[in-house]
Amino acid sequence: MAKAMARHILVKTEAEAAALKKRLAAGEAFDVLARKYSTCPSGKRGGDLGEVRPGQMVRVIDQIIFKKALREVHGPVKSQFGYHLVQVFYRD
């Protein structure tokens, strides 16, 4: 079965996610921003979701993790939890 390793930042508004994406593009560290701003428990781990398999995450996040380009910051993407920025390191 496929698996991937990803990290994400979850915030309440699209504007907040877009502002964080600009900061990431300017060179700020993903893990530092995740610890400071993410409302997901994974924020304490720098946004690290660990290894995930298809179907473990909500559908919109699953689509990014298993279909989008590696090592790019994707988003903001809306789910029922808020707005996500997602970065995928690898997938098998």
Side-chain angles (χ1 to χ4, degrees):
M1 180 178 246
K3 62 184 174 183
M5 187 188 165
R7 61 184 176 177
H8 82 138
I9 298 173
L10 173 64
V11 293
K12 291 187 185 306
T13 69
E14 186 173 13
E16 191 177 3
L20 289 171
K21 188 170 184 177
K22 282 184 184 174
R23 290 175 68 175
L24 291 167
E28 290 192 54
F30 194 104
D31 60 331
V32 172
L33 293 177
R35 281 188 191 94
K36 188 168 183 180
Y37 296 104
S38 185
T39 60
C40 180
S42 68
K44 292 183 178 90
R45 298 185 306 275
D48 187 359
L49 296 170
E51 253 185 22
V52 296
R53 298 189 182 278
Q56 278 188 278
M57 308 303 290
V58 294
R59 183 169 165 73
V60 291
I61 303 305
D62 222 40
Q63 293 292 316
I64 291 170
I65 291 174
F66 291 98
K67 296 206 182 331
K68 298 284 185 176
L70 298 175
R71 295 184 183 80
E72 288 181 20
V73 177
H74 300 283
V77 177
K78 186 178 186 346
S79 78
Q80 68 263 41
F81 301 106
Y83 290 86
H84 306 256
L85 297 176
V86 183
Q87 186 177 44
V88 183
F89 290 107
Y90 71 83
R91 70 176 74 91
D92 293 336

